[in-house]
Amino acid sequence: QVQLVESGGGLVQPGGSLRLSCAASGFPFSRYAMSWYRQAPGKEREMVAVIINSGTSTNYADSVKGRFTISRDNAKNTVYLQMNSLKPEDTAVYYCNVRIIPSRYWGQGTQVTVSS
């Protein structure tokens, strides 16, 4: 079955960096686009970044452009989210996601807290 396991979250000061990882299994990873979403308390879940199966094209939410970078290693079945210049408003639970029609699969999430 499809499994997505996120790691790398934590507490960081404003302006700091974190690198999230998502280890995938149970499906042909290199054939699917992968996404990162986040959900802050009291807010809807929102897309943060997406990367196509080959890794050659990416897209970002306006709020993270220039600060976050999504990448993938198809040999390791892993997708990453490098987060730089973090702001308090980046505080959220971050989720890895894959859409395998007709379903959408989620990891358990990893908490990112940006605070001094």
Side-chain angles (χ1 to χ4, degrees):
Q1 68 277 23
V2 174
Q3 284 195 322
L4 302 171
V5 180
E6 302 97 334
S7 62
L11 173 64
V12 62
Q13 292 187 344
S17 297
L18 281 175
R19 188 194 197 203
L20 306 183
S21 299
C22 171
S25 62
F27 66 101
F29 180 78
S30 64
R31 291 177 54 186
Y32 290 92
M34 298 295 297
S35 302
W36 284 97
Y37 282 69
R38 68 185 180 185
Q39 188 166 19
K43 295 189 177 181
E44 292 186 356
R45 193 170 296 190
E46 62 173 352
M47 192 276 290
V48 174
V50 59
I51 186 167
I52 67 170
N53 62 325
S54 66
T56 56
S57 181
T58 58
N59 197 21
Y60 298 90
D62 287 344
S63 58
V64 307
K65 279 181 182 176
R67 300 188 298 122
F68 290 12
T69 303
I70 188 171
S71 62
R72 65 191 295 160
D73 185 336
N74 285 346
K76 296 182 178 180
N77 285 8
T78 302
V79 60
Y80 305 97
L81 186 67
Q82 177 67 43
M83 306 186 295
N84 298 329
S85 303
L86 282 160
K87 305 175 181 180
E89 50 264 43
D90 295 317
T91 296
V93 178
Y94 284 71
Y95 297 92
C96 183
N97 171 265
V98 63
R99 186 180 181 198
I100 303 174
I101 294 173
S103 302
R104 189 178 288 275
Y105 298 90
W106 301 92
Q108 82 287 352
T110 186
Q111 175 71 46
V112 172
T113 302
V114 185
S115 175
S116 55

